[in-house]
Amino acid sequence: MNEITMCSYCGCEIEDNVYEVEGEYFCEDCYEDETFECECCGGRFLNSHDHGDENIGLCPDCYDEHYHRCVRCNCLIHSSNAYWYDGDAYCSDCYEDDEDCEDDDGYINDYYYKPSPEFYKCPDEKRVRYYGVELEIDRGGRDEYNAEEIYNTANKGSDILYIKSDGSLDDGMELVSHPCSLKYHRYNFPWFDIMQKAKDLYYRSHNTSTCGLHIHIGRAELGATIEQQEEVIGRIMFFFESHWNEMFKFSRRSEYSLDRWASRYGYKDRPKEILEDAKKNSKGRYVCVNITNENTVEIRMFRGTLKWNTFMATIEMVDSICENAVNLTDSDIHKQSWNDFVMLINPEYKELIKYLKEKRLYVNEPVENEEEI
């Protein structure tokens, strides 16, 4: 005897075509009337989850990723058409009509702001790898006064940090560094003071559900040719897939957060296979190793933090992974265990070694863990 399926909306028995949307079952008429197709991703969703307007249907994820609402008229704006002032999005008409926006010289830039990069390294360094950092902070306000305080704490003599608005944050902003060597980040960049200022202004990073710590690696420093760079990038991606459980623990992210903002590609047996698969996938930049940028590779796996030791350990980890990928062959990295890797870490990377011990990831040498912020 065939099981009878009832329409979740009108309650009728569905005799022919059964349509399932978000776990609900619909007859053909209710499917057409009570669900919609997202204009961006093409998926089908319940009308109650439509974040679009009368002209366009949008699922929640696509709205969060690509759209905003004008702070004055509430109209729907694609991110590429949004005008920003004081951390708020405006449509073009409202932006032109608002006299306050005309003299915008604030400290919070719009999400797509990207100045020409300036590269920083210590005087005694020659060839280095450069790392650009994006640190998201939340709960303290998308506030120009706060942004000015943090900006002035960072930029004493050099404009090494700028600040952007980010729609994924509830009430915060994104701190972005110009590309710096690891040594410059450790000894010259005033990250400790910046984090202390952010905490004084009641921001949090780890203790939120929104914040990430993203690290950009300069492609040029991964190989002399594009072919060499891609071989190294493939090995970086292979490392994350091979040691996903350890890196998940290192990241401090939840499974849900990783799946949404920094998902994995899936294990393949060779680095080149993972890279080629990544080039064809449709996840955009919301993957663990984002290769959509022309000049950088972005590692998005890590949760935000205002704890300097954890922050520095994260940059040291990324540098160690890069060093590993540059110096090993595909065959070497395929055979490498987690313990093999940690034994190769530069002993000068004391913050990283301490953090690995805190997380029980360093050859069973645990130490007491300090509170994240």
Side-chain angles (χ1 to χ4, degrees), residues 18 23 53 64 68 76 84 158 171 183 265 271 291 305:
V18 178
D53 57 18
D64 288 343
H68 300 277
L76 189 68
W84 292 89
S158 300
D171 200 19
K183 187 175 181 179
Y265 291 105
I291 58 171
T305 184

Side-chain angles (χ1 to χ4, degrees), residues 89-328:
Y90 288 77
C91 67
S92 59
D93 290 342
C94 290
Y95 184 84
E96 291 173 2
D97 290 344
D98 194 321
E99 295 181 359
D100 290 335
C101 295
E102 295 178 0
D103 299 319
D104 184 7
D105 58 353
Y107 290 88
I108 305 176
N109 300 283
D110 70 67
Y111 179 74
Y112 291 95
Y113 175 74
K114 190 174 182 180
S116 297
E118 298 180 18
F119 296 83
Y120 294 88
K121 63 181 181 179
C122 296
D124 61 335
E125 293 186 292
K126 295 182 180 179
R127 183 168 179 79
V128 298
R129 274 190 292 272
Y130 290 99
Y131 298 107
V133 174
E134 297 170 353
L135 174 61
E136 295 171 345
I137 59 175
D138 211 343
R139 297 189 180 177
R142 199 173 298 169
D143 182 273
E144 280 290 341
Y145 171 80
N146 290 350
E148 181 180 6
E149 289 284 298
I150 293 172
Y151 181 89
N152 290 336
T153 300
N155 297 308
K156 296 177 179 178
S158 300
D159 289 337
I160 56 178
L161 179 135
Y162 53 97
I163 301 172
K164 301 198 305 182
S165 178
D166 190 327
S168 70
L169 304 176
D170 294 328
D171 200 19
M173 46 199 172
E174 183 177 53
L175 314 182
V176 186
S177 81
H178 281 276
C180 304
S181 69
L182 186 150
K183 187 175 181 179
Y184 194 95
H185 276 297
R186 182 191 288 129
Y187 295 115
N188 295 67
F189 209 115
W191 282 115
F192 184 88
D193 295 337
I194 292 167
M195 293 176 186
Q196 187 58 54
K197 177 60 70 174
K199 287 184 284 187
D200 291 345
L201 294 168
Y202 304 104
Y203 288 96
R204 294 294 180 262
S205 190
H206 174 89
N207 292 331
T208 69
S209 61
T210 55
C211 294
L213 169 57
H214 307 155
I215 299 178
H216 288 259
I217 309 159
R219 286 178 180 255
E221 288 77 54
L222 296 178
T225 66
I226 292 177
E227 182 179 358
Q228 290 173 350
Q229 292 168 18
E230 293 213 333
E231 288 178 357
V232 172
I233 293 167
R235 289 195 283 272
I236 290 172
M237 300 172 87
F238 184 86
F239 177 89
F240 279 93
E241 294 296 338
S242 299
H243 304 295
W244 186 262
N245 290 337
E246 290 87 355
M247 291 306 300
F248 170 68
K249 192 172 185 179
F250 185 99
S251 75
R252 296 167 290 110
R253 291 261 201 183
S254 67
E255 288 189 21
Y256 170 81
S257 177
L258 271 182
D259 187 59
R260 180 170 187 185
W261 303 112
S263 65
R264 65 188 300 181
Y265 291 105
Y267 180 82
K268 299 288 189 296
D269 204 45
R270 295 190 303 126
K272 187 175 181 180
E273 290 181 55
I274 297 178
L275 178 61
E276 292 306 314
D277 183 63
K279 289 179 179 179
K280 294 181 285 188
N281 99 52
S282 59
K283 296 179 181 179
R285 70 179 186 276
Y286 296 111
V287 286
C288 171
V289 183
N290 170 27
I291 58 171
T292 63
N293 300 306
E294 181 180 358
N295 298 314
T296 67
V297 175
E298 181 189 21
I299 310 299
R300 297 178 51 88
M301 189 174 197
F302 312 112
R303 189 170 183 163
T305 184
L306 292 177
K307 179 180 170 186
W308 185 88
N309 311 72
T310 300
F311 175 86
M312 189 51 59
T314 304
I315 303 179
E316 290 176 348
M317 171 58 90
V318 172
D319 187 68
S320 299
I321 293 171
C322 290
E323 191 72 8
N324 197 56
V326 166
N327 291 326
L328 297 187

Side-chain angles (χ1 to χ4, degrees), residues 9 33 37 50 66 77 147 312 336 368:
Y9 186 75
D33 294 340
E37 181 179 318
D50 188 356
H66 299 294
I77 329 163
M312 189 51 59
Q336 186 183 50
E368 185 177 350

